[in-house]
Amino acid sequence: MTELLWATQAGYPPLATLQCLPLAAALLLLIMRENDLALVLGRLFAVAELVVAIDLYARIDVSTPIMQFAERLDLLAYHAAVDGVSVLFILLTALLGVLLSFYGMARQQITPVQLLSVLLIIEASQMTMLTTMNLLWFAGASALQLALVGYLLWRWASAREENLALSRFLQYQLFGWCLFLAGSIVLVWSHADVLGGHWSFDLFELLQTPQIGKYQSAAFYLLFYGLAIRTPLFPLHGWLPNSAGYGLIAVGPVLLLGVKVGIYGMARFLLPLTAEAVMIWQPYVVAFAMVGVFFAAVMAFRQANLRRLMAFAVVSHTSLIVIGLFTLHPAGLQGALLLAVNFGLAITVMLLMVGYVYRRTGTTNLDRLGGLFDRVPFIAVAFLIGGLSLLGMPGTPGFDAVHLVLEASIETFGALPTIATALGNVVAAGFLLWAFQRAFLAPRPKDLPVARIARTHRMEYFVGGATLLVLLAAGFYPEPWLKLTDTATQALAAYFAHG
């Protein structure tokens, strides 16, 4: 992470393309307005974005920790570059963009083309966050993404509870964004103190400047809490159950949770820039995460709504990711980042299947569901496989990731905390399987006749099948993803090996 490789192997600027292509597509769709051709073009642009991401993956050199495909424009302080970790998250973002463009859940408040335009702009903002080497650009792209997700929540709101969900979302996310921006300013202030007034938000310039102790602790607090709200990590998760229970069924949660930008931000900025403070506060962060595993699991069992139950499942499994990240061990770092991507795929397929259930039944209350397996077995099986992947079952990418995290946790924290964390994962298995049984296998309510439940459509087979194909392929053949992230996580762990 301390060097850059300026490269034009692709013959075009791939990182700028990843950021600008969705923006150009969104602008075109808004100009064309509502027609079938606009929807087809929007989906083609989403597929093209995935092709560019795959091309980037094919060209990156995974044997070096040097940041590659660097692009810079001094006039706007634009500075982008990627390593293996970045590319892993970029591939996930592009894949989710394609899936959501075909999922297309829209009600009367927002039209399909308008929805797709917003999704494409959000995808562009996420690509900016995953490629930028500038804290200010990261914060700006984050603000755009959160504002647009808030817009979608507002457009879908049709009841008082949904307005409450929007209010809580905006309150938490605005506060978290302000914390991150304040932490960035503290780091830059420290940099300016050392260099006699020269301000820079560039990651590499900040890394080359020793951080003053009093500034570093403050920066750690601000950056960590700002990113923890986004992640979300216990006890900063208060916005998620409301947003999941009353807001968008699938689109919004997938945008916020499918790509763990908070985890990526911790790995890219927080850990290397505040390494000394990270080592001081490591035990406290891990302690809160361990409490979060069990707290969220207990709360999940108390939920009567499938969407709120899944929200607490997110908090529980996010805690495991944070534990792996804060082992500061190469295996733990790699496991945490792979677990974050596995989590994104798993939670996406589960949320999309829950959305399909809602389309058929008009509810996600567990006491109003049941007997769905007979009518929509594919949706049920897809939900179950997503849940098993979330738990790290063999044959899914979560299996290797969880083992790396637990291996690093034993070496760093000892056997007892690791066993406790593993038991928390067992509890999570219990509430997810319980939810599957209640929703799909339990006796069907008498007022929910079989004839009302439509069979699975071809587009639903495509969206669910594509996600499961990627999930299972990555699970049975994890070597490419391990190679992609190995050198980058070794370089990140080196900050703490000499700390």
Side-chain angles (χ1 to χ4, degrees), residues 165-401:
L166 173 61
S167 175
R168 290 290 178 268
F169 171 80
L170 292 177
Q171 289 167 357
Y172 271 85
Q173 297 300 340
L174 179 60
F175 183 59
W177 184 83
C178 289
L179 288 176
F180 181 85
L181 182 62
S184 302
I185 292 173
V186 168
L187 281 175
V188 174
W189 200 327
S190 174
H191 173 81
D193 261 10
V194 173
L195 296 185
H198 173 66
W199 282 58
S200 173
F201 287 87
D202 189 89
L203 173 64
F204 288 92
E205 292 190 26
L206 294 173
L207 285 173
Q208 292 167 7
T209 307
Q211 296 293 321
I212 300 173
K214 62 179 180 180
Y215 288 117
Q216 186 169 152
S217 294
F220 170 79
Y221 279 122
L222 294 167
L223 292 174
F224 174 74
Y225 285 122
L227 293 168
I229 289 174
R230 280 203 58 137
T231 302
L233 179 66
F234 169 85
L236 306 171
H237 63 282
W239 61 273
L240 182 57
N242 282 330
S243 296
Y246 303 114
L248 297 169
I249 305 298
V251 173
V254 168
L255 291 171
L256 288 169
L257 304 172
V259 182
K260 285 285 190 184
V261 175
I263 295 296
Y264 176 83
M266 290 182 188
R268 177 63 67 223
F269 297 110
L270 176 72
L271 296 186
L273 288 174
T274 62
E276 293 180 11
V278 166
M279 295 188 72
I280 293 172
W281 297 105
Q282 174 198 39
Y284 302 96
V285 172
V286 171
F288 272 106
M290 287 181 174
V291 171
V293 171
F294 290 95
F295 168 82
V298 171
M299 291 299 295
F301 273 116
R302 300 182 59 184
Q303 302 308 309
N305 184 290
L306 183 57
R307 287 190 279 167
R308 287 181 64 88
L309 182 147
M310 289 182 63
F312 285 105
V314 168
V315 178
S316 179
H317 287 84
T318 297
S319 299
L320 183 61
I321 296 172
V322 171
I323 289 170
L325 202 63
F326 275 80
T327 60
L328 310 179
H329 184 286
L333 290 166
Q334 186 178 35
L337 294 169
L338 290 173
L339 198 58
V341 174
N342 166 75
F343 173 93
L345 290 169
I347 201 66
T348 293
V349 71
M350 294 177 75
L351 287 168
L352 296 183
M353 296 308 108
V354 170
Y356 290 143
V357 167
Y358 184 83
R359 289 185 185 186
R360 288 163 167 78
T361 64
T363 183
T364 52
N365 288 332
L366 289 169
D367 61 353
R368 304 287 303 140
L369 298 175
L372 296 176
F373 191 94
D374 296 333
R375 293 292 291 180
V376 285
F378 174 79
I379 291 175
V381 170
F383 180 91
L384 177 61
I385 293 175
L388 294 177
S389 181
L390 209 62
L391 303 172
M393 292 293 289
T396 69
F399 179 72
D400 291 287

Side-chain angles (χ1 to χ4, degrees), residues 20-33 117 120-121:
C20 295
L21 187 62
L23 289 177
L27 179 61
L28 179 61
L29 264 59
L30 291 173
I31 292 173
M32 295 179 68
R33 298 182 183 275
S117 301
L120 287 166
I121 298 173

